[in-house]
Amino acid sequence: MNIESNADLTSYLSFANYVRCERLCKIRSTQDLIQYFQNDKDKNYLILGGASNVLVIPEYLKRDVLLIQLEGKDVVVKENEYDLIEFGAGENWHDIVIWSLEQGYGGLENLSLIPGTTGAAPIQNIGAYGVEIKDVLHSVRYFDIATGKILTLHNSECEFRYRDSIFKNSLKGKFVITSITLKLTKENHKVNTSYGAIQNELGPNPVTPKSISDAVVSIRKSKLPDPKVLGNSGSFFKNPIIPKELLMKIQETHSEVPYYDLKQDPENVKVPAAWLIEQTGFKGKRHGNVGFFEGHALVLVNHGKGTGQELWDHAMRVQTAVSNSFGITLNPEVNLIL
């Protein structure tokens, strides 16, 4: 295990805010995990993958940071119409999307260009353009901190919900994901082009997993800033789910409010958080070193020297403004490290 004391984490954080930690431990094997936890299971630590959905607020973390760098791709089951493929938790998510397309697999194309690592994907139940990881995930292998054993959870046991899972709730602080296994189709893949943006981007082109991936990449690049250029973590807030009664009240003054019906929840609707933020005037508006991106109102950005506290304070300004204007509380999608 590679260990660095008083380590600078800035380059590992997608917000690119300055943070140091007591020790940075690079985890490259399950043996590294066993070694780290074997003598003291109550150590003060933080687990990071791609750190693409994390806002670290303090500038100095009085704890260890475990950087998960477990790699590998392994076809574990072959069937006529699909394969089960195990990916190490440290693999870059978009890289495995591209790899799967090159191997002729379908299933991940709508999830193209989502930043982060595979190990973080089921924690957040990442999703985009009508697809979530729960739609293709077979199982998750994880290191159980209490017992030191590698355990497996199958899809039905992961308690997936919108941007949520068992890993953010009853298993929080008790695990380290080591790999995930995905069920990817080889033939007769049912593509999802339900989002109009994809259909518009595709135009007359043939509809294939590769063409959908290309369309998603094009859309995301046109709307979202590159974290390597402008520090950000993608969508900062979740799209709120509200009662239809509240929607009707909002429509009295904002008849154009967009919303999406929920098939399994007919009493409620989903409203785009980006639209709510835009109505309050924060889109593209800079506050010191931070602000919400001019190309997408849902993306909180660091313009260069913003601290974790500055980023959080500005997010709370927007949360308050939306609450005052619409009676809706926006909840962060990113994980906050205090």
Side-chain angles (χ1 to χ4, degrees), residues 22-93:
E22 288 190 348
R23 297 197 309 168
L24 177 63
C25 307
K26 296 181 179 179
I27 305 298
R28 292 168 177 160
S29 68
T30 53
Q31 188 59 41
D32 285 346
L33 286 171
I34 294 171
Q35 178 186 340
Y36 181 82
F37 287 106
Q38 64 183 354
N39 295 323
D40 185 0
K41 296 180 176 60
D42 297 320
K43 291 180 178 179
N44 193 11
Y45 62 89
L46 168 67
I47 297 170
L48 286 184
S52 61
N53 202 46
V54 173
L55 174 57
V56 181
I57 294 180
E59 293 189 14
Y60 188 81
L61 285 173
K62 296 180 179 180
R63 61 175 105 175
D64 293 345
V65 171
L66 307 188
L67 187 65
I68 307 303
Q69 297 183 324
L70 299 163
E71 299 180 344
K73 306 179 188 71
D74 184 23
V75 180
V76 293
V77 173
K78 281 182 170 287
E79 296 290 349
N80 291 331
E81 294 187 359
Y82 68 87
D83 286 350
L84 297 183
I85 308 170
E86 185 176 15
F87 297 95
E91 292 282 348
N92 176 275
W93 176 260

Side-chain angles (χ1 to χ4, degrees), residues 217-230:
V217 168
S218 178
I219 295 167
R220 291 182 72 90
K221 284 185 174 180
S222 70
K223 291 184 176 182
L224 304 176
D226 185 345
K228 295 177 182 178
V229 178
L230 190 61

Side-chain angles (χ1 to χ4, degrees), residues 173-186:
K174 301 177 182 179
F175 72 96
V176 181
I177 290 178
T178 58
S179 68
I180 67 173
T181 298
L182 303 179
K183 182 177 180 180
L184 303 181
T185 56
K186 295 185 289 187

Side-chain angles (χ1 to χ4, degrees), residues 4 25 27 38 89 102 117 168 185 221 224 226 244 268 292 301 323 337:
E4 179 184 346
C25 307
I27 305 298
Q38 64 183 354
E102 291 173 346
T117 56
K168 295 178 74 172
T185 56
K221 284 185 174 180
L224 304 176
D226 185 345
K244 285 187 174 179
N268 297 304
F292 277 80
V301 297
S323 178
I337 308 301

Side-chain angles (χ1 to χ4, degrees), residues 88-99:
E91 292 282 348
N92 176 275
W93 176 260
H94 183 61
D95 286 351
I96 75 163
V97 173
I98 297 304
W99 178 87

Side-chain angles (χ1 to χ4, degrees), residues 13-16 50-55 113-116 124 126-128 162-163 220 223-228 230-239 273-274 277 291-302 311 315 331-335:
L13 304 174
S14 66
F15 270 116
S52 61
N53 202 46
V54 173
L55 174 57
L113 210 62
I114 294 178
Q124 189 72 6
I126 61 170
Y162 174 61
R163 301 296 181 269
R220 291 182 72 90
K223 291 184 176 182
L224 304 176
D226 185 345
K228 295 177 182 178
L230 190 61
N232 75 93
S233 191
S235 299
F236 191 86
F237 292 108
K238 299 177 184 179
N239 290 322
I277 295 170
F292 277 80
F293 187 52
E294 61 185 8
H296 199 303
L298 194 49
V299 180
L300 179 64
V301 297
N302 180 358
L311 287 159
N331 294 313
E333 184 173 319
V334 302
N335 297 300

